[in-house]
Amino acid sequence: MAKQAIQGGNGSAESQELVRRLTLEIRTLNVCLEDFLHVRAEALGITGTQLAILMALTDLGKNGGAPAGVLAKLMKVDPSFITLHSKALEKLGFIRRKPGIRDARVVQLSLTDKARKRLANIAAQQQEVDQIVFGELGNEELTRLSSRLAALRKRLESARLKAELESGAVSARGWGRR
């Protein structure tokens, strides 16, 4: 019913209320995920932001690491943000920073063995939490939910760009940050 009201473009009070509730639920989920990230990070002696970087690098770094700029794009942050936190993570022994082979200006980031071991230790705990949170959803449902959320994110990004073009402003979360 909400889909029909929203697609119909009638802007009914009911559809606006449904969108408002969905937006609130997504924001609340984000806060819960951030809180959980900080709890996991504290167990490693780092910040939530630094753990997010390590997790993103784990995903990107299957072939020996990833350029800092690619990590910044993935996380939708300014490259200097990655530089600041990767230097701190390097001092803690979690990340290796090396100049790129083809271009020394490009910094290649990779996880150290210490980071891999520490992340593996919390991975077992994460499996228990995943079972609590997602246990009732099967793989097909998780795939469908993930796909729908990714599609929603893409539409939100398009809507943000449209709003920026109309207003002439660039959001703090937009690609215009440098």
Side-chain angles (χ1 to χ4, degrees), residues 127-138:
Q127 286 179 338
E128 290 179 35
V129 171
D130 289 347
Q131 183 59 38
I132 293 168
V133 176
F134 301 109
E136 68 183 42
L137 301 174

Side-chain angles (χ1 to χ4, degrees), residues 68-84:
V70 171
L71 193 60
K73 283 184 182 181
L74 174 70
M75 295 182 70
K76 294 195 179 233
V77 296
D78 191 86
S80 64
F81 180 84
I82 298 298
T83 300
L84 175 73

Side-chain angles (χ1 to χ4, degrees), residues 16-33:
Q16 289 177 349
E17 175 63 17
L18 288 169
V19 169
R20 188 196 64 72
R21 281 182 24 211
L22 175 63
T23 301
L24 179 60
E25 288 298 333
I26 290 171
R27 285 184 175 152
T28 303
L29 280 170
N30 184 52
V31 169
C32 289
L33 289 169

Side-chain angles (χ1 to χ4, degrees), residues 39-127:
V39 169
R40 287 288 188 233
E42 285 178 13
L44 296 173
I46 58 177
T47 68
T49 298
Q50 291 169 337
L51 179 55
I53 289 170
L54 292 178
M55 291 168 57
L57 192 54
T58 299
D59 291 341
L60 284 176
K62 302 287 187 216
N63 299 323
V70 171
L71 193 60
K73 283 184 182 181
L74 174 70
M75 295 182 70
K76 294 195 179 233
V77 296
D78 191 86
S80 64
F81 180 84
I82 298 298
T83 300
L84 175 73
H85 288 285
S86 67
K87 285 181 178 180
L89 287 165
E90 182 181 39
K91 285 180 184 176
L92 293 170
F94 285 104
I95 285 182
R96 264 186 302 282
R97 300 175 77 248
K98 295 194 288 189
I101 295 169
R102 293 186 182 140
D103 184 348
R105 297 172 295 176
V106 174
V107 176
Q108 187 78 7
L109 303 175
S110 60
L111 296 175
T112 63
D113 288 339
K114 174 184 176 179
R116 288 182 210 290
K117 287 176 187 171
R118 300 284 300 274
L119 290 171
N121 288 340
I122 65 170
Q125 297 168 347
Q126 185 62 42
Q127 286 179 338

